[in-house]
Amino acid sequence: DIVSARKGLMHLRATLQGRSAHAGVEPEKGRSATLEAAHKAIALDGLNGRWPGVTVNVGEIKGGTRPNIVAGEAIMTLDMRARLATEQDEAEAAVLEILEASTVPDVRTTVETLAAWPPMEKTADSAGLVKAAVTIAAELGFELSDAETGGASDANTTASVGVPSVDGLGPVGGNDHTPLEYIEKSSIVPRTTLLAALLSSVER
């Protein structure tokens, strides 16, 4: 498949500052940043399903120094994805509300945006590119269709400023981002020919 729609994404880092204390002697003086991170992770996971195309994943939680010390700091990173710009805005607001609130008293949180892309939404103009690509593929002797994917690409950026965009025009493959990722060598020439013909048709 070629790609006519992609989810937008945000990658955030939250740094939680609590208060260290001896876990055996005076734990009441501590404010556990790792406990707060656990509360936030559960609340963030609860956002999954609130919007049809939104996913929220806490990918990392790091914190503390020793088992006998109430953790004074924790860091968590998360990935949020959405199909539509309206959903992305609403989900972002909900994520920030969770991150900025505190369940454990006196734990403060600082949030940084590590990456952000708007959704690549399918439009009438990009559907025209899909139709052209499908026609060219048929002339070359193979079937082609378009799909929506959760991964982001540079096409998210071009589509967000109104440029008709499709991507995923490269060789066929699978097992993305794993040691078993591969491409099918037999697809290289047909897909390269498709790309060249599509570019030529757009120029005309």
Side-chain angles (χ1 to χ4, degrees):
D1 295 336
I2 58 174
V3 178
S4 59
R6 290 180 176 275
K7 287 185 177 183
L9 70 80
M10 290 192 69
H11 288 170
L12 301 175
R13 177 193 292 125
T15 302
L16 289 64
Q17 295 290 341
R19 185 187 307 151
S20 298
H22 194 298
V25 177
E26 45 189 13
E28 70 282 355
K29 291 186 177 180
R31 298 292 184 268
S32 176
T34 54
L35 178 58
E36 178 62 32
H39 282 293
K40 291 187 190 303
I42 293 170
L44 289 166
D45 187 71
L47 296 177
N48 287 299
R50 182 180 297 186
W51 301 270
V54 172
T55 57
V56 180
N57 178 63
V58 178
E60 297 176 288
I61 297 180
K62 301 176 182 178
T65 54
R66 294 173 55 87
N68 63 336
I69 299 175
V70 175
E73 182 178 89
I75 296 175
M76 54 195 306
T77 61
L78 63 101
D79 172 289
M80 185 271 288
R81 299 183 185 238
R83 294 175 58 246
L84 304 175
T86 52
E87 292 178 348
Q88 184 166 351
D89 290 343
E90 292 176 10
E92 178 184 353
V95 165
L96 292 176
E97 182 179 1
I98 290 169
L99 291 177
E100 292 167 358
S102 182
T103 302
V104 177
D106 304 323
V107 176
R108 303 181 310 278
T109 303
T110 303
V111 181
E112 303 169 75
T113 300
L114 303 178
W117 281 275
M120 172 188 174
E121 299 182 33
K122 187 174 182 178
T123 64
D125 287 337
S126 61
L129 287 175
V130 171
K131 183 178 179 180
V134 169
T135 299
I136 293 168
E139 293 171 353
L140 294 172
F142 63 94
E143 294 183 1
L144 186 71
S145 59
D146 66 316
E148 176 183 332
T149 181
S153 79
D154 290 336
N156 288 66
T157 303
T158 58
S160 71
V161 295
V163 178
S165 303
V166 295
D167 67 355
L169 288 154
V172 177
N175 295 329
D176 299 358
H177 299 332
T178 74
L180 300 177
E181 185 170 359
Y182 69 93
I183 63 169
E184 297 177 7
K185 290 189 291 183
S186 62
S187 71
I188 295 174
V189 171
R191 299 288 286 210
T192 303
T193 306
L194 168 65
L195 175 58
L198 181 59
L199 288 171
S200 179
S201 73
V202 171
E203 289 175 359
R204 290 198 301 267

